[in-house]
Amino acid sequence: MLKRVLMMLGLTLWAGAAHSAQADSVALDGQVFLDQNENGIVDPGESGVAAVAVSNGREVVRTDAQGKYRIEVRDGDSLFVIKPANYRFPVGPDGMPRYWQHHAPNGIGKTLRFGGIAPALANGRFALLAEPGSAATLKVLLLADPQPKTATDVEYLRRDIIEPIAATHGAALGVILGDVVSDDLHLFDAVAKSLQPLSLPWLMVAGNHDIDFDAESDALSLASYRQRFGPDSLAWEERQSVFIALDNVVYEGHPKRRYVGGIREDQFEFLRSYLSSLDTDRLLVVLTHVPLFNVHHRGDDSFRPADRQRLFDLLSRFPKRLLLSGHTHAQRHYFHDSQDGWAGDTPLHEYNVGTASGGYWSGVPDQQGIPDTRMADGTPNGWAMLSIDASGDYRLSYQVARDPDHPGIELSGPAVLRRGSWPGVGLYANVLMGWAETRVEVRIDGGEWRRMHYSPGLDRQVLRENLDDDRADRLRGFDRLPEAVESVHRWRFSLPTHLAAGKHSIEVRAFDPWRGELRASSTYQLVDAP
């Protein structure tokens, strides 16, 4: 009899905690608390944290004065806390912040090759730690598409990006803009481990190479990713800004293996619920993998226009906003305007960040054995820094891997010309963070500064590597660089040939809106020919 009573009591408590595996949805009672001794449990004297946002990926609720809340959870939900400013999350052994719980009584996608989500029951209790204080300027380290396909590539990531900046980066937050790996999801753990020397909390965005390609639907396509890195849509608050990360890869399912950029209906529900509660004082940063501009050149849309318009409508009331994306393995600034459906008073800035893997960890290796891996538009691989002031004003910079003194300009042109020849041979300046309105100037031998002509086109250095690969009778690297594509940040100047015979100096300067004047230099020679 006692055994039966205890069993019934246990079932009652189970139902009260809303952990019914059979129900389509249940109401979960939880609490967000200040974990003063960092042991992960609510001890006597530890209080709840009020007004913290908690979401199931659709609804957003706020904690009461005791840090308590109630929210609906469905089988397969990832319950998560939106980090409030002036707090931080505990981190796990892998260095990743712990702000989510999966609710999947029977697991999700157990037959998937990479395992899907293991059986789990959300208990709704989340710990926060006090943030002792933060700098007036928030610095955010941006990595787009690390995308290792093998353990060797993970080693390149570690040696090329992570180790050289581990002690000097100065950031307080890290972001990975998708394609954490390249299809082999077993490498998730290796990438997470490689990031640990940076000692940063990470906001992760899912990419098209992070999905379970054997999933039969978009709903299951990120099961293994979510098991490792948590919800595929989330938000994060700092004093200077609010970040929203969105999975925007809509997968058509196995065996098609096709995808398009878009946003799901449950994500729009989350956005409406969360954005309606935000004031407009802080910078709003939206993180995605697939850019919102069209990256295809054959006419079809790479991002569903209706989804883009709905997102723009939600963002339009925020005067301070920034879009960050990856995916293209190129770098550009895009300014959405009325032709794209943007109705704001000023264009909506999207920075498509140059990738950590560059040209997919390809190209001729250097003396350290690390491949050139230049992107198809000529941008060397690297990382970016976003700096946000208390006012919400932001600054962006891009840093070439293992080259802290890189001027941000890549020059290419002839080494020698015949004196008196037709002056039609060009000097090209690839200004890595430039766009059409950037002022770029050149002078020869310290003379007068002259404007360079904005001239999008194939990057000469990538094209040269492509041709050298074509002519080679052996492999020059494990994989060759991708074929050159149009660089939208390239300028041209016809080198003069009427000067005296001999060597002549070239100086190029570009005016970056955040870093100021950037300079690069080179030389060319004029020779007399009979």
Side-chain angles (χ1 to χ4, degrees):
M1 182 67 179
L2 177 60
K3 181 177 181 181
R4 184 178 180 182
V5 169
L6 291 173
M7 183 179 295
M8 292 301 294
L9 178 61
L11 289 174
T12 300
L13 292 173
W14 182 266
H19 282 153
S20 173
Q22 285 73 36
D24 290 335
S25 64
V26 291
L28 178 66
D29 292 318
Q31 185 181 26
V32 179
F33 66 98
L34 183 60
D35 191 7
Q36 294 177 326
N37 58 6
E38 302 187 24
N39 65 352
I41 62 175
V42 185
D43 294 308
E46 291 184 335
S47 58
V49 183
V52 176
V54 183
S55 180
N56 54 18
R58 300 174 302 278
E59 306 164 89
V60 177
V61 300
R62 297 272 176 176
T63 58
D64 63 16
Q66 289 75 45
K68 295 182 179 180
Y69 65 92
R70 170 170 284 193
I71 194 168
E72 176 194 75
V73 290
R74 301 173 187 171
D75 190 353
D77 280 351
S78 293
L79 186 66
F80 63 94
V81 172
I82 296 173
K83 189 194 82 66
N86 303 318
Y87 291 91
R88 59 189 175 92
F89 290 114
V91 298
D94 59 356
M96 294 290 169
R98 290 293 178 254
Y99 57 89
W100 77 87
Q101 296 172 6
H102 297 309
H103 184 74
N106 299 308
I108 300 293
K110 291 182 290 186
T111 62
L112 295 174
R113 175 188 173 193
F114 295 105
I117 296 176
L121 293 173
N123 61 32
R125 290 190 300 274
F126 291 94
L128 287 176
L129 308 178
E131 182 67 63
S134 57
T137 298
L138 175 68
K139 292 189 175 182
V140 186
L141 179 65
L142 306 176
L143 291 179
D145 302 62
Q147 204 165 334
K149 54 189 175 295
T150 63
T152 299
D153 290 349
V154 177
E155 186 69 5
Y156 292 150
L157 173 67
R158 183 183 66 80
R159 294 170 54 212
D160 197 34
I161 302 283
I162 307 302
E163 283 189 349
I165 64 172
T168 60
H169 61 78
L173 180 64
V175 169
I176 292 187
L177 291 161
D179 286 354
V180 182
V181 298
S182 184
D183 301 339
D184 185 356
L185 310 190
H186 286 132
L187 294 173
F188 280 154
D189 286 342
V191 172
K193 183 177 180 180
S194 75
L195 296 173
Q196 287 185 9
L198 297 177
S199 301
L200 290 173
W202 288 94
L203 301 185
M204 311 293 284
V205 179
N208 57 289
H209 287 283
D210 298 322
I211 64 179
D212 288 289
F213 279 112
D214 52 340
E216 296 181 358
S217 66
D218 183 61
L220 287 177
S221 63
L222 288 177
S224 300
Y225 169 91
R226 289 170 55 207
Q227 170 68 20
R228 186 61 186 79
F229 296 118
D232 58 41
S233 297
L234 59 101
W236 183 284
E237 297 179 3
E238 299 287 351
R239 290 191 300 112
Q240 301 88 343
S241 58
V242 175
F243 297 85
I244 296 178
L246 296 173
D247 159 41
N248 69 344
V249 179
V250 181
Y251 181 54
E252 294 188 16
H254 180 79
K256 294 181 180 179
R257 293 175 65 99
R258 293 198 302 262
Y259 64 90
V260 67
I263 299 174
R264 306 186 306 266
E265 195 59 42
D266 62 294
Q267 294 173 304
F268 277 118
E269 188 177 347
F270 165 69
L271 288 170
R272 285 191 298 267
S273 180
Y274 180 57
L275 293 178
S276 64
S277 69
L278 290 181
D279 59 41
T280 59
D281 294 339
R282 288 179 288 183
L283 175 70
L284 180 62
V285 185
V286 178
L287 313 170
T288 68
H289 178 62
V290 178
L292 272 67
F293 57 83
N294 189 17
V295 298
H296 289 164
H297 302 289
R298 58 180 185 271
D300 53 337
D301 291 310
S302 57
F303 199 96
R304 297 190 300 206
D307 291 358
R308 177 172 53 238
Q309 188 60 61
R310 291 176 69 185
L311 179 61
F312 283 179
D313 292 344
L314 288 170
L315 299 179
S316 61
R317 78 179 186 92
F318 292 89
K320 303 172 184 178
R321 67 268 156 168
L322 173 66
L323 305 178
L324 298 174
S325 58
H327 185 55
T328 65
H329 292 262
Q331 180 160 260
R332 72 179 299 180
H333 296 273
Y334 190 95
F335 297 89
H336 297 273
D337 57 20
S338 58
Q339 294 183 349
D340 303 301
W342 174 250
D345 294 335
T346 57
L348 175 59
H349 180 199
E350 178 171 358
Y351 173 37
N352 187 223
V353 182
T355 55
S357 60
Y360 312 92
W361 299 114
S362 65
V364 178
D366 61 15
Q367 292 182 344
Q368 285 72 44
I370 299 175
D372 178 341
T373 202
R374 191 175 300 268
M375 294 169 232
D377 71 340
T379 305
N381 76 307
W383 51 278
M385 186 71 80
L386 167 65
S387 300
I388 308 171
D389 295 334
S391 64
D393 293 334
Y394 64 86
R395 299 180 299 280
L396 289 162
S397 61
Y398 181 75
Q399 181 60 60
V400 173
R402 289 184 295 144
D403 192 357
D405 298 321
H406 192 282
I409 304 171
E410 296 262 307
L411 299 180
S412 57
V416 61
L417 292 171
R418 180 178 66 82
R419 190 166 75 93
S421 63
W422 178 66
V425 178
L427 166 75
Y428 292 90
N430 194 337
V431 182
L432 306 183
M433 288 289 280
W435 58 88
E437 287 74 25
T438 301
R439 182 157 63 104
V440 183
E441 298 176 338
V442 61
R443 68 179 178 182
I444 308 298
D445 295 334
E448 179 184 355
W449 287 104
R450 300 177 62 183
R451 293 291 288 265
M452 296 187 74
H453 175 63
Y454 179 61
S455 179
L458 301 183
D459 180 78
R460 307 280 284 223
Q461 295 191 63
V462 177
L463 185 58
R464 182 180 65 240
E465 290 295 317
N466 294 159
L467 296 175
D468 286 347
D469 283 333
D470 287 348
R471 287 188 289 263
D473 57 4
R474 58 180 178 79
L475 291 176
R476 301 172 65 231
F478 185 77
D479 281 325
R480 53 185 285 165
L481 286 179
E483 292 185 357
V485 300
E486 180 183 67
S487 168
V488 296
H489 39 80
R490 192 184 77 154
W491 281 257
R492 185 185 185 280
F493 176 76
S494 294
L495 287 171
T497 60
H498 66 280
L499 305 176
K503 184 175 288 188
H504 297 275
S505 66
I506 300 169
E507 292 176 273
V508 172
R509 66 181 183 182
F511 294 88
D512 184 287
W514 302 292
R515 296 175 62 193
E517 184 178 314
L518 307 176
R519 290 202 184 194
S521 60
S522 184
T523 62
Y524 75 111
Q525 190 171 3
L526 293 174
V527 298
D528 289 315

